[in-house]
Amino acid sequence: MHFLWKFLISSLFLTITKELQTVKIGALFFKDEYSLMEAFDSAITDINALDTELRFRVVKHFLAEDDSVILQNLACDLLEQGVLAIFGPSSKSSSANCIKFIPISRHQFVRVIIKVISYLDIVAVLCNQTGIPHLQFDWSSKAKEGDMRYYQFSINVAPTESTLSQALWEILRSTEYDWKSFTIVYEVESSSLSRFQHLLSWKPFHKNGLKMVKFRRGDDYRILWKVLSNMKEKFILLDCPPDILKEVVNISIYYNMTGGFNNLFLANLDTHASGLASLYSKKFTAKVTAIRLRRFIPPDQQGEFDIFHQEPEESIVLTKSQSLYDAVILYSKGLRTVMKSGSFRLPPKTKCGLQSWSVGEEIVKHIKQFKIQGGNISAFKTQKMFLSSTGLRDDFNLEIYNPLVERIVYIWNKGHGLVDYEKLQENSTQEEKRQKLSPRKEDFSLKRVRYTIATRMGEPYFMWRPEPEGVHYEGNERFEGYVVDLIYKLAEECKFDFIFEPNAQLGICDLTITQARRSVVDFTVPFMQLGVSILYHKPKPPEKRLFAFLKPFSLDVWLCLLVALLLMALLLILMARLNPSEWQEQQIDDCLVIIENKWFLRNSLWLYIGSILGMSCDLLPKASSLRLCTAFWWLFALLMSRTYTAKLASFITASKLEGSIKNLHDLVEQNKVQFGMVKGGSTSLFFSESNESDYRVAWNKMLAMKPEAFTANNREGVDRVRRSKGRYAFLMETPNIQYYAQRNCELMQIGPTFSEKHYGIAVPLNAPFRSNLSVGILKLSEKGILYNLKNKWFNNNETKCIPTDLVNFEQSTQFNINSVGGLFIVLLAGLLVAIVLGIVEFLWNTQKIAIKEKKSPGWALREELQFFIRFWRKSKPFRNLKEINEISDCPKTTTKLELSSKRHKTKAQRRKVKTRLREIS
């Protein structure tokens, strides 16, 4: 009996305990949300089956349409039934098109109205007023993350739009992707542009940055891809619902948008449920990238897994369903924590919004503080279930993967950024090991594209590579040259392989872009800009003349100038002797007055020579007639000197040799030098189709020349110029002229560049890889690689030649020492004549002194040399002053020219004084 009584008491206790552990939770669904219902039921089943302390009893309400009045009534009904939490509704609900009056206090009513207007979610408002936890699992386009701070009882486990936006921004700007410009393609009705807010602020619109294209469900998707194809866009970010994603992407194949240079980034988190993997083929070589929430992998507690065991497929795959499942699990953990604390009690069953449940705040607090720990009974569907203080899931793990082959490439989260998945596999769990052992599809996007490239032999673009003794090159190593280096650099930039073959996909050489060629092939952007000029043999330098400085004036001009100088000097002497103004009295001392005329031959020549040379003179005429004569001479001298200076400058700075060919016009106008070009090239096409007179005349002359003016290639034309020694000129592209002229000192470029051209890489018409090659060429140009390649193959050489323009200038314009040597000879001759004349005058004066002093010439020479050596003496004694004083009435006298007749009374005395003074002078 005692045992029976004890059994009955235990059974009653267990029944009461079980009843206390069973709680009600509510859920709001639209009637067509079957996947959400399935995920919700699966979470409830898992909790009830595995949890021995907690049982959920679900109350579901369904909406047939989006009506906020009905939604309010259903939410109030759940609250009146005493549910401990409400899940949903989904973002299909607008939640507040209108609002029914709720019987609450005035203060509470005002708060409710304000929050409804700001957030437009009636369920969140009701739960916030009653203290019932409200769990959401996705974001509507009208929801704002910042408004969550007004709803302390609302929790959203879906990834926030702002964090997703940050993730996309960090991924696309990382060095692994490095998207410089791209186009966002989005479906209008389902896409939320808030996920692209970081991208929209990062890249400018339509200026080598960001472009946006929208479409609608049910549109003709061919129009969408045709627009993108015309835009030549290779980087596309596509935000498309998973149910139509496969159909939309499949259309891109027919517009050549799935080649190896195309990049497609799928921004929808449910791309893995779209069936896109069925498009897997060798033709689909585009780099396809998608993102999704990383699945939760529970700790392995059963040792090694059996690789032969068939794992059940995951039925909950959509992000919204996974988030709802995780929301139920998360709520159960928070509720269980509160129940264990002993403060748990059921909410009161009252009318909607009239009373508040204080336990709900504690449950929400534990949910926000929850951290995943090992050994959890109920596993989540996604990783990193951490919530912020406002109830937002703003940190989570994203998988960046290829949806065609299910290959995970990177893992992203807010704290670590983008991490290589291969590095994480070193510490992988059993689930990850199981995924490793499963067979994988071959990723065709990882294979490098291989192009066959055609070219032609011609230095310095494409040449055979010299083989050292004992070395044999094969494949692409057999060749060298400018285009070989260029294609290697381009392959490294654009990540493709290549081989040189006759039948090819690409054509690269010194191939000029012309309209005729563009009708059969397409071209990339130019990799070199050039023009056409004339290659010519350097003429022999002119013979240098010793007296080249005399060349500005002819011989007769120089003779006339010399005669004019002498005549003007004699005229000045005659006019001065006739004019009394030029005779001046000069008081020598108290007894001696002389009359002086300073215009004799030496002074006259000095005046006129100085005026020609632009020098001043201390001797100037006083008479009006002499001044007028001198003024006209100055005018003549000014014009002659300036004319000589200008003419001499023109000889020095002339840019070409007299009689040489300066440009194409000079070449066409003469008949001594033949000229030609490569037959059938772009240069010949330019001349044959041009309407300008010089080009047309040049073309007609070349057609009539015998022997034929045209050559088979550039090398033949260069050899012909060298052999002709100035009788043949060759028209060719300027880079080739630069190459040959620097390596052959006999050659030079003459004339300016004309007919601007560009070299480009030829590709088939409408080739999908043309724009990628163009982008690669532009990158090489920006990095300076094209400039370095041109210097390597066109400028650097072992032959040291003076540049052509400098040769022209030195050989035809500059005066070197040979040209101006005559000036130094004239200066030296003048100095020698002056020195000789000075010596003769010195000896003559010494002889006169010896006679007057009645001494020997040796004595007089010694006396003068001694005075010359004593350079510190500033005065020299006057000789025979006593004799002069004896024949004069004055105590002192100085000999100059004549004595005044007024001072001497007798003619004999005057005659004696004149004779003596003349001898002394």
Side-chain angles (χ1 to χ4, degrees), residues 653-796:
T653 60
S655 60
K656 297 294 179 180
L657 289 172
E658 184 179 356
S660 65
I661 299 173
K662 304 178 181 64
N663 48 45
L664 180 64
H665 179 76
D666 295 341
L667 189 63
V668 172
E669 291 294 323
Q670 56 81 43
N671 295 317
K672 294 181 179 180
V673 179
Q674 288 188 327
F675 53 92
M677 61 186 65
V678 174
K679 187 175 184 179
S682 60
T683 305
S684 64
L685 180 65
F686 167 75
F687 275 85
S688 63
E689 295 183 351
S690 178
N691 293 324
E692 293 190 20
S693 59
D694 283 344
Y695 302 148
R696 175 58 62 180
V697 172
W699 177 252
N700 293 333
K701 276 195 169 187
M702 284 186 286
L703 291 176
M705 285 181 184
K706 298 296 180 181
E708 187 178 5
F710 301 101
T711 63
N713 50 53
N714 287 333
R715 187 66 191 180
E716 181 182 341
V718 173
D719 292 339
R720 189 169 174 181
V721 172
R722 294 179 62 187
R723 293 193 306 267
S724 68
K725 302 296 183 180
R727 297 186 301 274
Y728 181 80
F730 191 63
L731 301 173
M732 64 190 306
E733 287 82 1
T734 50
N736 299 328
I737 293 179
Q738 182 181 3
Y739 174 79
Y740 288 111
Q742 287 201 353
R743 286 156 179 80
N744 297 274
C745 297
E746 302 173 348
L747 305 178
M748 68 175 183
Q749 175 183 339
I750 59 174
T753 301
F754 57 91
S755 178
E756 181 178 340
K757 299 180 180 182
H758 301 85
Y759 288 158
I761 301 176
V763 299
L765 287 173
N766 301 319
F769 50 82
R770 180 177 68 91
S771 60
N772 297 84
L773 295 177
S774 296
V775 172
I777 292 173
L778 293 177
K779 289 182 178 179
L780 295 180
S781 177
E782 292 172 356
K783 295 177 181 179
I785 295 178
L786 294 184
Y787 176 80
N788 294 334
L789 289 180
K790 189 173 182 181
N791 277 340
K792 174 184 176 181
W793 290 103
F794 290 91
N795 293 338
N796 295 336

Side-chain angles (χ1 to χ4, degrees), residues 137 161 458 639:
F137 44 85
E161 301 285 350
L639 295 178

Side-chain angles (χ1 to χ4, degrees), residues 152 178 194 201 237-238 269 396 462 497 572 599 805 895:
Q152 300 299 323
D178 193 23
S194 60
S201 61
L237 190 152
L238 177 60
L269 294 177
F396 42 84
F462 191 79
D497 297 324
L572 180 63
W599 294 115
D805 54 349
T895 60

Side-chain angles (χ1 to χ4, degrees), residues 408-665:
I408 303 174
V409 185
Y410 301 103
I411 304 295
W412 180 93
N413 65 44
K414 197 173 182 179
H416 296 85
L418 203 63
V419 181
D420 192 341
Y421 179 70
E422 297 294 334
K423 296 180 180 179
L424 297 178
Q425 285 186 324
E426 297 176 0
N427 300 319
S428 61
T429 62
Q430 300 297 333
E431 177 67 19
E432 290 171 329
K433 292 177 181 177
R434 181 158 47 251
Q435 292 179 3
K436 278 193 208 177
L437 294 176
S438 61
R440 285 186 176 181
K441 297 179 181 179
E442 182 181 5
D443 192 349
F444 298 115
S445 65
L446 297 179
K447 285 191 172 182
R448 290 168 66 95
V449 182
R450 185 182 179 90
Y451 293 124
T452 55
I453 301 177
T455 183
R456 67 179 180 185
M457 288 292 174
E459 55 181 342
Y461 299 97
F462 191 79
M463 302 172 290
W464 289 103
R465 185 179 182 183
E467 293 182 348
E469 185 177 356
V471 178
H472 178 67
Y473 295 121
E474 294 182 354
N476 295 335
E477 294 183 349
R478 297 171 297 168
F479 312 106
E480 67 176 4
Y482 176 84
V483 298
V484 177
D485 287 354
L486 174 61
I487 206 66
Y488 269 109
K489 294 293 185 181
L490 194 59
E492 181 181 350
E493 184 69 36
C494 298
K495 297 179 176 57
F496 65 85
D497 297 324
F498 65 93
I499 186 172
F500 292 105
E501 291 184 0
N503 299 321
Q505 297 167 293
L506 304 178
I508 180 170
C509 59
D510 49 340
L511 185 62
T512 307
I513 301 175
T514 63
Q515 187 59 39
R517 291 170 180 169
R518 293 188 66 178
S519 63
V520 291
V521 295
D522 278 339
F523 284 92
T524 63
V525 296
F527 61 83
M528 185 183 295
Q529 183 176 350
L530 60 139
V532 178
S533 190
I534 305 171
L535 181 67
Y536 193 56
H537 197 281
K538 289 180 182 177
K540 293 182 179 180
E543 183 181 355
K544 300 302 180 182
R545 298 181 179 179
L546 190 61
F547 296 96
F549 66 92
L550 298 176
K551 194 172 181 180
F553 286 166
S554 61
L555 179 60
D556 53 351
V557 174
W558 286 113
L559 293 177
C560 291
L561 180 61
L562 181 60
V563 172
L565 180 63
L566 293 174
L567 292 178
M568 287 297 299
L570 294 176
L571 179 62
L572 180 63
I573 293 173
L574 296 176
M575 295 178 65
R577 293 187 67 83
L578 296 175
N579 197 307
S581 299
E582 298 302 328
W583 292 92
Q584 300 293 328
E585 291 185 0
Q586 185 172 0
Q587 183 73 36
I588 302 302
D589 54 25
D590 294 338
C591 300
L592 183 60
V593 177
I594 62 174
I595 300 176
E596 185 181 22
N597 190 327
K598 57 188 175 182
W599 294 115
F600 43 91
L601 186 59
R602 287 184 304 170
N603 289 350
S604 300
L605 288 176
W606 180 248
L607 171 64
Y608 288 144
I609 292 175
S611 61
I612 292 179
L613 299 178
M615 303 296 295
S616 61
C617 183
D618 57 344
L619 301 174
L620 294 175
K622 297 181 179 180
S624 300
S625 59
L626 270 69
R627 288 186 175 183
L628 182 62
C629 180
T630 303
F632 276 98
W633 172 258
W634 284 346
L635 178 61
F636 169 79
L638 176 66
L639 295 178
M640 288 296 293
S641 62
R642 295 300 184 269
T643 302
Y644 174 82
T645 304
K647 193 63 177 177
L648 183 63
S650 67
F651 273 92
I652 295 176
T653 60
S655 60
K656 297 294 179 180
L657 289 172
E658 184 179 356
S660 65
I661 299 173
K662 304 178 181 64
N663 48 45
L664 180 64
H665 179 76

Side-chain angles (χ1 to χ4, degrees), residues 28-75:
L28 296 170
F29 299 105
F30 286 89
K31 290 187 176 181
D32 58 348
E33 295 179 331
Y34 303 109
S35 62
L36 290 177
M37 298 179 199
E38 181 182 356
F40 185 77
D41 293 340
S42 177
I44 298 298
T45 301
D46 291 344
I47 293 174
N48 291 339
L50 299 176
D51 199 332
T52 59
E53 301 176 358
L54 182 64
R55 294 291 183 275
F56 282 147
R57 185 160 64 88
V58 180
V59 181
K60 299 179 183 178
H61 284 337
F62 301 94
L63 291 87
E65 58 182 351
D66 183 15
D67 191 321
S68 58
V69 176
I70 298 176
L71 180 61
Q72 175 185 322
N73 292 334
L74 295 178

Side-chain angles (χ1 to χ4, degrees), residues 276-496:
L276 195 66
S278 62
L279 300 180
Y280 171 81
S281 68
K282 292 184 177 181
K283 295 182 179 180
F284 207 116
T285 58
K287 184 178 181 181
V288 184
T289 306
I291 57 174
R292 64 187 174 195
L293 288 177
R294 183 157 172 77
R295 287 181 56 190
F296 179 83
I297 304 175
D300 186 86
Q301 300 176 351
Q302 299 178 1
E304 293 295 330
F305 59 89
D306 186 358
I307 62 174
F308 301 103
H309 178 66
Q310 183 68 31
E311 293 289 337
E313 293 186 1
E314 178 62 57
S315 59
I316 303 175
V317 294
L318 295 178
T319 303
K320 192 182 297 185
S321 300
Q322 292 175 341
S323 298
L324 177 57
Y325 184 98
D326 290 347
V328 178
I329 300 297
L330 184 63
Y331 176 76
S332 68
K333 295 181 181 298
L335 178 61
R336 187 186 301 109
T337 303
V338 175
M339 293 178 67
K340 288 181 178 179
S341 66
S343 60
F344 176 78
R345 62 182 178 84
L346 295 175
K349 296 183 179 180
T350 59
K351 288 190 175 183
C352 180
L354 293 180
Q355 293 186 9
S356 177
W357 184 39
S358 60
V359 180
E361 183 177 358
E362 188 175 353
I363 295 175
V364 171
K365 178 181 178 181
H366 285 289
I367 290 175
K368 293 179 180 179
Q369 295 177 350
F370 172 78
K371 304 294 181 183
I372 295 179
Q373 298 177 358
N376 289 293
I377 296 177
S378 299
F380 292 94
K381 295 298 180 184
T382 59
Q383 291 184 4
K384 206 167 187 179
M385 185 57 69
F386 298 161
L387 300 178
S388 66
S389 59
T390 57
L392 296 176
R393 188 181 182 184
D394 59 357
D395 194 5
F396 42 84
N397 291 340
L398 279 180
E399 282 183 354
I400 296 89
Y401 68 104
N402 186 334
L404 296 180
V405 295
E406 281 296 322
R407 174 178 172 268
I408 303 174
V409 185
Y410 301 103
I411 304 295
W412 180 93
N413 65 44
K414 197 173 182 179
H416 296 85
L418 203 63
V419 181
D420 192 341
Y421 179 70
E422 297 294 334
K423 296 180 180 179
L424 297 178
Q425 285 186 324
E426 297 176 0
N427 300 319
S428 61
T429 62
Q430 300 297 333
E431 177 67 19
E432 290 171 329
K433 292 177 181 177
R434 181 158 47 251
Q435 292 179 3
K436 278 193 208 177
L437 294 176
S438 61
R440 285 186 176 181
K441 297 179 181 179
E442 182 181 5
D443 192 349
F444 298 115
S445 65
L446 297 179
K447 285 191 172 182
R448 290 168 66 95
V449 182
R450 185 182 179 90
Y451 293 124
T452 55
I453 301 177
T455 183
R456 67 179 180 185
M457 288 292 174
E459 55 181 342
Y461 299 97
F462 191 79
M463 302 172 290
W464 289 103
R465 185 179 182 183
E467 293 182 348
E469 185 177 356
V471 178
H472 178 67
Y473 295 121
E474 294 182 354
N476 295 335
E477 294 183 349
R478 297 171 297 168
F479 312 106
E480 67 176 4
Y482 176 84
V483 298
V484 177
D485 287 354
L486 174 61
I487 206 66
Y488 269 109
K489 294 293 185 181
L490 194 59
E492 181 181 350
E493 184 69 36
C494 298
K495 297 179 176 57
F496 65 85

Side-chain angles (χ1 to χ4, degrees), residues 242-261:
D243 56 334
I244 62 172
L245 178 61
K246 177 182 175 181
E247 180 184 0
V248 173
V249 175
N250 187 43
I251 302 297
S252 67
I253 300 176
Y254 303 99
Y255 288 89
N256 298 321
M257 300 292 288
T258 57
F261 293 108

